[in-house]
Short mmCIF file of all heavy atoms in Angstrom, two decimals:
data_model
loop_
_atom_site.label_atom_id
_atom_site.label_comp_id
_atom_site.label_asym_id
_atom_site.label_seq_id
_atom_site.Cartn_x
_atom_site.Cartn_y
_atom_site.Cartn_z
N ARG W 1093 102.32 126.93 134.03
CA ARG W 1093 102.09 126.50 135.40
C ARG W 1093 103.41 126.29 136.12
O ARG W 1093 103.55 126.60 137.31
CB ARG W 1093 101.27 125.22 135.41
CG ARG W 1093 100.84 124.78 136.82
CD ARG W 1093 100.32 123.37 136.81
NE ARG W 1093 101.37 122.43 136.49
CZ ARG W 1093 101.18 121.14 136.22
NH1 ARG W 1093 99.95 120.66 136.21
NH2 ARG W 1093 102.18 120.35 135.94
N SER W 1094 104.41 125.79 135.41
CA SER W 1094 105.72 125.59 136.01
C SER W 1094 106.35 126.92 136.41
O SER W 1094 107.02 127.02 137.45
CB SER W 1094 106.64 124.85 135.03
OG SER W 1094 106.12 123.59 134.71
N GLU W 1095 106.13 127.96 135.60
CA GLU W 1095 106.63 129.28 135.97
C GLU W 1095 105.98 129.76 137.26
O GLU W 1095 106.65 130.31 138.15
CB GLU W 1095 106.37 130.26 134.84
CG GLU W 1095 107.16 129.97 133.56
CD GLU W 1095 106.75 130.86 132.41
OE1 GLU W 1095 105.82 131.69 132.61
OE2 GLU W 1095 107.35 130.76 131.34
N SER W 1096 104.69 129.54 137.38
CA SER W 1096 104.00 129.91 138.63
C SER W 1096 104.50 129.07 139.79
O SER W 1096 104.63 129.57 140.92
CB SER W 1096 102.48 129.71 138.46
OG SER W 1096 101.97 130.52 137.42
N SER W 1097 104.79 127.80 139.52
CA SER W 1097 105.31 126.93 140.57
C SER W 1097 106.67 127.39 141.05
O SER W 1097 106.99 127.31 142.25
CB SER W 1097 105.39 125.48 140.06
OG SER W 1097 104.12 125.00 139.69
N ILE W 1098 107.50 127.89 140.13
CA ILE W 1098 108.81 128.42 140.52
C ILE W 1098 108.64 129.64 141.41
O ILE W 1098 109.33 129.79 142.45
CB ILE W 1098 109.64 128.76 139.26
CG1 ILE W 1098 110.01 127.47 138.52
CG2 ILE W 1098 110.90 129.53 139.65
CD1 ILE W 1098 110.68 127.73 137.18
N ARG W 1099 107.71 130.54 141.04
CA ARG W 1099 107.46 131.71 141.89
C ARG W 1099 106.95 131.28 143.26
O ARG W 1099 107.35 131.84 144.29
CB ARG W 1099 106.44 132.63 141.23
CG ARG W 1099 106.97 133.35 139.99
CD ARG W 1099 106.10 134.55 139.64
NE ARG W 1099 104.74 134.16 139.32
CZ ARG W 1099 104.33 133.81 138.11
NH1 ARG W 1099 105.19 133.78 137.09
NH2 ARG W 1099 103.07 133.47 137.89
N MET W 1100 106.10 130.26 143.27
CA MET W 1100 105.58 129.79 144.55
C MET W 1100 106.69 129.16 145.39
O MET W 1100 106.72 129.34 146.62
CB MET W 1100 104.48 128.76 144.29
CG MET W 1100 103.66 128.42 145.53
SD MET W 1100 102.73 129.86 146.11
CE MET W 1100 102.60 129.45 147.85
N ALA W 1101 107.60 128.46 144.75
CA ALA W 1101 108.70 127.85 145.50
C ALA W 1101 109.60 128.92 146.09
O ALA W 1101 110.13 128.76 147.21
CB ALA W 1101 109.50 126.93 144.57
N ASN W 1102 109.79 130.02 145.36
CA ASN W 1102 110.59 131.12 145.91
C ASN W 1102 109.85 131.82 147.06
O ASN W 1102 110.47 132.23 148.05
CB ASN W 1102 110.90 132.14 144.81
CG ASN W 1102 112.09 131.71 143.96
OD1 ASN W 1102 113.23 131.76 144.39
ND2 ASN W 1102 111.80 131.29 142.73
N LEU W 1103 108.53 131.94 146.91
CA LEU W 1103 107.75 132.57 147.98
C LEU W 1103 107.72 131.72 149.23
O LEU W 1103 107.41 132.22 150.32
CB LEU W 1103 106.32 132.82 147.50
CG LEU W 1103 106.15 133.95 146.48
CD1 LEU W 1103 104.73 133.97 145.93
CD2 LEU W 1103 106.48 135.30 147.13
N ALA W 1104 108.04 130.43 149.10
CA ALA W 1104 108.10 129.57 150.29
C ALA W 1104 109.19 130.02 151.24
O ALA W 1104 109.18 129.65 152.43
CB ALA W 1104 108.32 128.11 149.88
N GLY W 1105 110.13 130.82 150.74
CA GLY W 1105 111.19 131.37 151.60
C GLY W 1105 110.77 132.62 152.33
O GLY W 1105 111.61 133.23 153.03
N LYS W 1106 109.53 133.06 152.16
CA LYS W 1106 109.04 134.25 152.85
C LYS W 1106 108.16 133.82 154.03
O LYS W 1106 107.50 132.79 154.00
CB LYS W 1106 108.20 135.11 151.89
CG LYS W 1106 108.94 135.50 150.61
CD LYS W 1106 110.15 136.38 150.91
CE LYS W 1106 110.84 136.82 149.61
NZ LYS W 1106 112.02 137.66 149.90
N PRO W 1107 108.14 134.64 155.07
CA PRO W 1107 107.35 134.27 156.25
C PRO W 1107 105.85 134.47 156.02
O PRO W 1107 105.42 135.22 155.15
CB PRO W 1107 107.86 135.23 157.33
CG PRO W 1107 108.33 136.43 156.57
CD PRO W 1107 108.89 135.90 155.27
N GLU W 1108 105.07 133.76 156.83
CA GLU W 1108 103.63 133.97 156.89
C GLU W 1108 103.30 134.50 158.29
O GLU W 1108 103.98 134.18 159.26
CB GLU W 1108 102.88 132.66 156.61
CG GLU W 1108 103.11 132.12 155.22
CD GLU W 1108 102.26 130.88 154.93
OE1 GLU W 1108 101.03 130.95 155.11
OE2 GLU W 1108 102.83 129.85 154.54
N PHE W 1109 102.25 135.30 158.36
CA PHE W 1109 101.95 136.03 159.59
C PHE W 1109 100.62 135.55 160.18
O PHE W 1109 99.62 135.43 159.47
CB PHE W 1109 101.88 137.53 159.32
CG PHE W 1109 103.14 138.07 158.69
CD1 PHE W 1109 103.24 138.18 157.31
CD2 PHE W 1109 104.20 138.47 159.47
CE1 PHE W 1109 104.40 138.67 156.73
CE2 PHE W 1109 105.36 138.97 158.90
CZ PHE W 1109 105.46 139.06 157.52
N ASP W 1110 100.66 135.37 161.50
CA ASP W 1110 99.46 134.98 162.23
C ASP W 1110 99.11 136.13 163.18
O ASP W 1110 99.84 136.39 164.14
CB ASP W 1110 99.72 133.69 163.01
CG ASP W 1110 98.44 133.10 163.58
OD1 ASP W 1110 97.38 133.75 163.43
OD2 ASP W 1110 98.49 132.01 164.17
N VAL W 1111 98.04 136.85 162.88
CA VAL W 1111 97.61 138.01 163.66
C VAL W 1111 96.46 137.57 164.56
O VAL W 1111 95.47 137.00 164.08
CB VAL W 1111 97.17 139.16 162.75
CG1 VAL W 1111 96.75 140.37 163.60
CG2 VAL W 1111 98.29 139.55 161.80
N SER W 1112 96.58 137.88 165.86
CA SER W 1112 95.54 137.45 166.80
C SER W 1112 95.11 138.61 167.70
O SER W 1112 95.89 139.53 167.97
CB SER W 1112 96.05 136.28 167.67
OG SER W 1112 97.14 136.70 168.47
N PHE W 1113 93.85 138.56 168.13
CA PHE W 1113 93.26 139.52 169.05
C PHE W 1113 92.50 138.74 170.11
O PHE W 1113 91.85 137.74 169.79
CB PHE W 1113 92.29 140.47 168.32
CG PHE W 1113 92.91 141.20 167.16
CD1 PHE W 1113 92.84 140.65 165.88
CD2 PHE W 1113 93.57 142.41 167.35
CE1 PHE W 1113 93.41 141.31 164.81
CE2 PHE W 1113 94.13 143.06 166.28
CZ PHE W 1113 94.05 142.52 165.00
N SER W 1114 92.58 139.22 171.37
CA SER W 1114 91.85 138.54 172.44
C SER W 1114 91.30 139.55 173.45
O SER W 1114 91.85 140.65 173.59
CB SER W 1114 92.75 137.51 173.16
OG SER W 1114 93.81 138.18 173.82
N TYR W 1115 90.27 139.14 174.09
CA TYR W 1115 89.62 139.99 175.12
C TYR W 1115 89.46 139.14 176.37
O TYR W 1115 88.94 138.03 176.31
CB TYR W 1115 88.26 140.47 174.62
CG TYR W 1115 87.55 141.40 175.56
CD1 TYR W 1115 87.80 142.76 175.52
CD2 TYR W 1115 86.62 140.89 176.47
CE1 TYR W 1115 87.13 143.63 176.38
CE2 TYR W 1115 85.96 141.75 177.35
CZ TYR W 1115 86.22 143.11 177.29
OH TYR W 1115 85.58 143.96 178.16
N MET W 1116 89.92 139.70 177.53
CA MET W 1116 89.84 138.96 178.80
C MET W 1116 88.93 139.71 179.77
O MET W 1116 89.14 140.91 180.04
CB MET W 1116 91.23 138.80 179.42
CG MET W 1116 91.22 137.93 180.67
SD MET W 1116 92.87 137.52 181.27
CE MET W 1116 93.47 139.13 181.78
N GLN W 1117 87.94 139.00 180.25
CA GLN W 1117 87.02 139.57 181.25
C GLN W 1117 87.48 139.15 182.64
O GLN W 1117 87.76 137.98 182.89
CB GLN W 1117 85.60 139.07 180.96
CG GLN W 1117 84.53 139.63 181.89
CD GLN W 1117 84.31 138.75 183.10
OE1 GLN W 1117 84.39 137.51 183.01
NE2 GLN W 1117 84.06 139.36 184.26
N ARG W 1118 87.56 140.18 183.57
CA ARG W 1118 87.99 139.88 184.94
C ARG W 1118 86.87 140.20 185.92
O ARG W 1118 86.16 141.21 185.77
CB ARG W 1118 89.22 140.70 185.29
CG ARG W 1118 90.44 140.38 184.43
CD ARG W 1118 91.69 140.98 184.99
NE ARG W 1118 91.63 142.45 185.08
CZ ARG W 1118 92.56 143.21 185.70
NH1 ARG W 1118 93.59 142.62 186.28
NH2 ARG W 1118 92.43 144.51 185.73
N ASP W 1119 86.74 139.33 186.94
CA ASP W 1119 85.74 139.56 187.97
C ASP W 1119 86.24 140.61 188.98
O ASP W 1119 87.44 140.95 189.01
CB ASP W 1119 85.44 138.26 188.72
CG ASP W 1119 84.69 137.26 187.84
OD1 ASP W 1119 84.18 137.68 186.76
OD2 ASP W 1119 84.63 136.07 188.20
N ALA W 1120 85.31 141.13 189.82
CA ALA W 1120 85.68 142.11 190.86
C ALA W 1120 86.54 141.44 191.94
O ALA W 1120 86.52 140.22 192.11
CB ALA W 1120 84.41 142.70 191.48
N MET W 1121 87.26 142.25 192.68
CA MET W 1121 88.11 141.75 193.77
C MET W 1121 87.23 141.25 194.91
O MET W 1121 86.03 141.58 194.98
CB MET W 1121 89.04 142.87 194.26
CG MET W 1121 90.01 143.35 193.18
SD MET W 1121 91.04 144.73 193.72
CE MET W 1121 91.96 143.93 195.02
N PRO W 1122 87.81 140.49 195.86
CA PRO W 1122 86.99 139.98 196.98
C PRO W 1122 86.30 141.07 197.77
O PRO W 1122 85.21 140.86 198.32
CB PRO W 1122 88.01 139.23 197.83
CG PRO W 1122 89.05 138.79 196.84
CD PRO W 1122 89.14 139.92 195.85
N ASP W 1123 86.89 142.29 197.83
CA ASP W 1123 86.26 143.37 198.58
C ASP W 1123 85.25 144.14 197.75
O ASP W 1123 84.74 145.17 198.17
CB ASP W 1123 87.32 144.33 199.16
CG ASP W 1123 88.14 144.96 198.05
OD1 ASP W 1123 87.85 144.72 196.83
OD2 ASP W 1123 89.08 145.71 198.35
N GLY W 1124 85.03 143.70 196.52
CA GLY W 1124 84.03 144.34 195.66
C GLY W 1124 84.60 145.34 194.69
O GLY W 1124 83.85 145.91 193.87
N THR W 1125 85.91 145.65 194.80
CA THR W 1125 86.52 146.61 193.87
C THR W 1125 86.52 146.03 192.45
O THR W 1125 86.96 144.91 192.24
CB THR W 1125 87.95 146.95 194.29
OG1 THR W 1125 87.94 147.44 195.65
CG2 THR W 1125 88.56 147.98 193.36
N LYS W 1126 86.05 146.83 191.50
CA LYS W 1126 85.98 146.35 190.11
C LYS W 1126 87.36 146.37 189.47
O LYS W 1126 88.17 147.27 189.74
CB LYS W 1126 85.01 147.21 189.31
CG LYS W 1126 83.57 147.10 189.78
CD LYS W 1126 82.64 147.85 188.84
CE LYS W 1126 82.63 147.19 187.49
NZ LYS W 1126 81.63 147.82 186.58
N ARG W 1127 87.61 145.39 188.63
CA ARG W 1127 88.86 145.33 187.88
C ARG W 1127 88.54 145.47 186.38
O ARG W 1127 87.55 144.94 185.89
CB ARG W 1127 89.59 144.01 188.14
CG ARG W 1127 90.22 143.98 189.52
CD ARG W 1127 91.00 142.72 189.73
NE ARG W 1127 90.13 141.56 190.03
CZ ARG W 1127 90.52 140.47 190.63
NH1 ARG W 1127 91.77 140.34 191.01
NH2 ARG W 1127 89.68 139.49 190.85
N SER W 1128 89.40 146.22 185.72
CA SER W 1128 89.17 146.45 184.28
C SER W 1128 89.41 145.17 183.48
O SER W 1128 90.31 144.37 183.80
CB SER W 1128 90.09 147.55 183.76
OG SER W 1128 89.85 148.76 184.42
N ASP W 1129 88.60 145.02 182.43
CA ASP W 1129 88.87 143.94 181.48
C ASP W 1129 90.12 144.28 180.69
O ASP W 1129 90.56 145.44 180.64
CB ASP W 1129 87.68 143.76 180.54
CG ASP W 1129 86.44 143.27 181.28
OD1 ASP W 1129 86.60 142.76 182.40
OD2 ASP W 1129 85.33 143.41 180.71
N MET W 1130 90.68 143.28 180.00
CA MET W 1130 91.96 143.48 179.31
C MET W 1130 91.86 143.02 177.85
O MET W 1130 91.15 142.07 177.52
CB MET W 1130 93.08 142.71 180.02
CG MET W 1130 93.23 143.10 181.49
SD MET W 1130 94.56 142.22 182.32
CE MET W 1130 95.98 142.94 181.55
N PHE W 1131 92.57 143.74 176.98
CA PHE W 1131 92.61 143.43 175.55
C PHE W 1131 94.05 143.10 175.17
O PHE W 1131 95.01 143.77 175.61
CB PHE W 1131 92.11 144.63 174.74
CG PHE W 1131 92.30 144.47 173.26
CD1 PHE W 1131 91.42 143.70 172.51
CD2 PHE W 1131 93.38 145.06 172.62
CE1 PHE W 1131 91.60 143.56 171.15
CE2 PHE W 1131 93.58 144.90 171.25
CZ PHE W 1131 92.68 144.16 170.51
N SER W 1132 94.23 142.09 174.36
CA SER W 1132 95.58 141.70 173.93
C SER W 1132 95.61 141.52 172.40
O SER W 1132 94.61 141.16 171.77
CB SER W 1132 96.01 140.38 174.58
OG SER W 1132 96.01 140.50 175.97
N SER W 1133 96.76 141.74 171.81
CA SER W 1133 96.96 141.53 170.37
C SER W 1133 98.37 140.99 170.17
O SER W 1133 99.30 141.33 170.92
CB SER W 1133 96.78 142.84 169.60
OG SER W 1133 97.00 142.62 168.21
N MET W 1134 98.50 140.15 169.15
CA MET W 1134 99.80 139.50 168.95
C MET W 1134 100.00 139.22 167.46
O MET W 1134 99.04 138.95 166.72
CB MET W 1134 99.86 138.18 169.74
CG MET W 1134 101.18 137.45 169.66
SD MET W 1134 101.12 135.88 170.56
CE MET W 1134 100.67 136.43 172.19
N VAL W 1135 101.22 139.28 167.00
CA VAL W 1135 101.59 138.90 165.63
C VAL W 1135 102.68 137.84 165.73
O VAL W 1135 103.72 138.07 166.36
CB VAL W 1135 102.09 140.10 164.81
CG1 VAL W 1135 102.57 139.63 163.43
CG2 VAL W 1135 100.99 141.14 164.66
N MET W 1136 102.40 136.69 165.13
CA MET W 1136 103.41 135.64 165.05
C MET W 1136 103.77 135.43 163.58
O MET W 1136 102.95 135.68 162.68
CB MET W 1136 102.88 134.33 165.64
CG MET W 1136 102.67 134.38 167.13
SD MET W 1136 102.17 132.78 167.82
CE MET W 1136 100.55 132.58 167.09
N MET W 1137 104.96 134.97 163.32
CA MET W 1137 105.39 134.75 161.94
C MET W 1137 106.23 133.49 161.86
O MET W 1137 106.91 133.12 162.82
CB MET W 1137 106.18 135.95 161.42
CG MET W 1137 107.42 136.28 162.22
SD MET W 1137 108.26 137.76 161.63
CE MET W 1137 108.83 137.21 160.03
N THR W 1138 106.13 132.83 160.71
CA THR W 1138 106.97 131.66 160.48
C THR W 1138 108.39 132.12 160.17
O THR W 1138 108.61 133.23 159.65
CB THR W 1138 106.44 130.84 159.30
OG1 THR W 1138 106.42 131.65 158.13
CG2 THR W 1138 105.04 130.32 159.58
N LEU W 1139 109.34 131.27 160.49
CA LEU W 1139 110.75 131.55 160.22
C LEU W 1139 111.28 130.49 159.25
O LEU W 1139 111.68 129.40 159.66
CB LEU W 1139 111.56 131.53 161.52
CG LEU W 1139 111.17 132.59 162.56
CD1 LEU W 1139 112.01 132.40 163.82
CD2 LEU W 1139 111.37 133.99 161.99
N PRO W 1140 111.27 130.79 157.94
CA PRO W 1140 111.72 129.79 156.95
C PRO W 1140 113.25 129.72 156.91
O PRO W 1140 113.91 130.19 155.98
CB PRO W 1140 111.14 130.33 155.64
CG PRO W 1140 111.03 131.81 155.84
CD PRO W 1140 110.75 132.01 157.30
N ILE W 1141 113.82 129.13 157.96
CA ILE W 1141 115.28 129.12 158.09
C ILE W 1141 115.90 127.88 157.42
O ILE W 1141 117.12 127.85 157.21
CB ILE W 1141 115.69 129.18 159.58
CG1 ILE W 1141 115.12 127.97 160.32
CG2 ILE W 1141 115.22 130.47 160.20
CD1 ILE W 1141 115.56 127.89 161.77
N TRP W 1142 115.11 126.89 157.09
CA TRP W 1142 115.66 125.66 156.52
C TRP W 1142 115.67 125.76 154.98
O TRP W 1142 115.14 124.93 154.28
CB TRP W 1142 114.87 124.43 156.96
CG TRP W 1142 114.62 124.38 158.43
CD1 TRP W 1142 113.44 124.46 159.08
CD2 TRP W 1142 115.62 124.26 159.46
NE1 TRP W 1142 113.60 124.39 160.43
CE2 TRP W 1142 114.95 124.25 160.70
CE3 TRP W 1142 117.02 124.15 159.45
CZ2 TRP W 1142 115.61 124.16 161.91
CZ3 TRP W 1142 117.68 124.04 160.66
CH2 TRP W 1142 116.98 124.05 161.86
N ARG W 1143 116.26 126.83 154.49
CA ARG W 1143 116.24 127.11 153.05
C ARG W 1143 116.98 126.03 152.27
O ARG W 1143 116.50 125.56 151.22
CB ARG W 1143 116.84 128.48 152.77
CG ARG W 1143 116.76 128.88 151.30
CD ARG W 1143 117.23 130.29 151.07
NE ARG W 1143 117.07 130.63 149.66
CZ ARG W 1143 115.98 131.11 149.12
NH1 ARG W 1143 114.91 131.31 149.88
NH2 ARG W 1143 115.92 131.38 147.83
#
Side-chain angles (χ1 to χ4, degrees):
R1093 186 193 66 190
S1094 299
E1095 293 173 358
S1096 300
S1097 299
I1098 292 173
R1099 290 198 298 272
M1100 192 65 207
N1102 279 287
L1103 287 171
K1106 304 296 183 181
E1108 297 185 54
F1109 304 94
D1110 191 356
V1111 181
S1112 64
F1113 304 92
S1114 65
Y1115 184 87
M1116 185 172 67
Q1117 183 268 325
R1118 297 192 300 172
D1119 291 346
M1121 297 177 64
D1123 60 4
T1125 304
K1126 294 187 66 175
R1127 287 184 282 202
S1128 299
D1129 294 341
M1130 303 181 70
F1131 172 80
S1132 300
S1133 179
M1134 183 183 302
V1135 176
M1136 292 185 293
M1137 59 184 293
T1138 59
L1139 297 177
I1141 60 175
W1142 311 114
R1143 184 174 183 87

